[in-house]
Amino acid sequence: MTGKTPRTVLVTGPGGAGRTTVAAATALAAARRGDRTLLLCADPAGPGTVLGTAVPTAAGAGPAEVTPGLWVARVDPADYFRTEFLALQERAAAALDMLGARRLDGEELTELPGAEQFALLQALRRAAAGDWNVLVVDLPPLRDALSVLALPERLRRLIGRLLPAERQAARALRPMIAQLAGVPMPADWLYGAAARRDEELAAVQALIGSPGTTVRLVAEPGPAAADALRVARDGLSLYGLRVDALVPNKVLPTDSSDAWLATLAAQQQKCLDGWSEEYGPGSGAGWPLREVRHLGRDPRGLDDLADLEALADLGPDPGPDTEPDPDPWWVEDRREEDGLLVWSLPLPGAVKADIGLVRRGDELLLTVGPFHRIVPLAGALRRCTVSGAALTDGVLKVRFTPDPGLWPRTP
C-alpha cells in the first residue's frame, strides 16, 4: 500500500471519439515515466485490441502487467452482480427459508440494468486502495460517465436519509419500540449493510474529489462533439470536477495535397480554433488543448500508443500533504452593505434558461441543463431565506436574507 491516493485521470468523451486509445496512451506514458500504473477499463470489450494483448476482468485473477510498470484490468458487471446478489441472499437466508423461497444459484444469474455503474464504483474503490502511483480510468461516454461520478454523493445522501446513522444508537430500544408500534423494526444487518455501503461510497467519493484526480475529455473535432462538450461543461461545473486537458483526437494534417483531406482538415481546424477560444486557457473553462494527430490507421499495440506524445503530461503530481482545493462555491458576507449573504457558484458557459434553483429545508436543489445536484447549505445559510439569484459572467450568485427569528442577535 502506498498510503496515498493515486494520481487519477478519468478519461471520457463522446462515443467513438477514441476514449480507450487515449486512456491506454496516457497510462503507457505514465508507466514509461516510472510510475506504477493501473489502467482500468469500463468498456466490456476492454482495451485488449488497442494494447495488442488479452486483458483480465477486475474481479478475476487480478490486473495483468502488459509492459513494465503498466497493469491493466477491465470491469465485469456480471461478476459483480452475481457476487453481490449471492452475498445478499446469504445474509437473508433465515427470512428466505421461513418464506419457503427457493434460492438461486450463481450460474443462473445475469446482471440487471445499472449493474455496470455499481461494478465500476466498486472497481474504483479497490483500485484506490491498491499500490498504484497512477490510476487511469477508461470511463463510459460523457453523459453516462458524469452520472457515475455523481453517484456516490447521491447514494450517500439517500442512505443517510433512509437509514440515519444516529438511529443505530437506539439499537437496544428497537425490540420495545417494535412491540409498542406493532410493526417489526429493521434488523441489525440492514444498518450494518448501510454503514458498510456508506464507507465504500465515501472512499470512492474521496477519490473523485481528491486534489490528484482530474477528467481528461476526448473528442474528435466536429459539430456533434462541440454540442456534447457544451453540455458536458455544465455537468462538470455542477459536480465540481476538474479537467486537466481537452484532447482533440484524430486530427488530420493540414499540409495534405489531397483536396478531400485538405477540406476535412480545414473543417477540423476551424472547429479547433473555436474550441481554443471557448474552452482554452484564456476562457472561463481554462482547459489545456492537447491535439493528437491521426496516425492514418487505428492505433494497435504499444508502439502506436507511445507515438501519441501529446498525452504524456499528467500535470503536477500532488504530494501526500497536499491540501484539497478550496471550495469553488464561496459565500460572501454582505450583511453590512446590503443585509445579504451571497453564495457564488461558478458555472462557466451555463445559460440562464437552463438553470433551476429550489430550496428544500437545509438543502438546495440545483439544475443545470440535464444535470441535477442536491447540496447541503452551510450553517449560516440555513438561517436565511433565498431572496433571489442572478447569473453574471458565468457565476450564479444566490442571495440569502438572514431570518430575524433564526439569526443570532447582537447585544
Side-chain angles (χ1 to χ4, degrees), residues 140-198:
L142 262 174
R143 290 285 293 273
D144 293 337
L146 290 173
S147 296
V148 170
L149 297 177
L151 196 54
E153 180 182 84
R154 293 177 178 176
L155 291 177
R156 294 190 70 200
R157 177 181 176 274
L158 290 175
I159 291 174
R161 289 288 297 272
L162 296 175
L163 294 170
E166 56 268 19
R167 289 187 183 175
Q168 299 184 51
R171 182 176 302 172
L173 299 178
R174 281 206 289 272
M176 181 180 65
I177 296 175
Q179 291 181 356
L180 294 175
V183 295
M185 301 298 290
D188 286 348
W189 71 265
L190 181 59
Y191 286 94
R196 287 192 298 272
R197 281 288 180 257
D198 183 72

Side-chain angles (χ1 to χ4, degrees), residues 220-235:
E220 187 173 352
D227 293 340
L229 289 176
R230 291 190 187 97
V231 174
R233 180 173 54 185
D234 292 340

Side-chain angles (χ1 to χ4, degrees), residues 241-319:
L241 301 170
R242 290 163 295 141
V243 176
D244 69 21
L246 169 58
V247 181
N249 195 24
K250 305 177 186 177
V251 177
L252 298 170
T254 57
D255 57 355
S256 175
S257 59
D258 184 285
W260 184 72
L261 284 177
T263 300
L264 291 179
Q267 292 174 350
Q268 282 192 341
Q269 194 59 49
K270 181 179 179 181
C271 181
L272 289 172
D273 291 341
W275 287 2
S276 180
E277 181 178 350
E278 189 171 2
Y279 304 113
S283 69
W287 302 343
L289 268 66
R290 297 179 185 164
E291 298 180 20
V292 174
R293 63 186 180 87
H294 203 304
L295 297 181
R297 63 187 183 281
D298 290 335
R300 291 290 183 271
L302 300 180
D303 290 340
D304 281 353
L305 294 177
D307 200 31
L308 305 180
E309 67 278 355
L311 304 175
D313 185 12
L314 298 180
D317 184 15

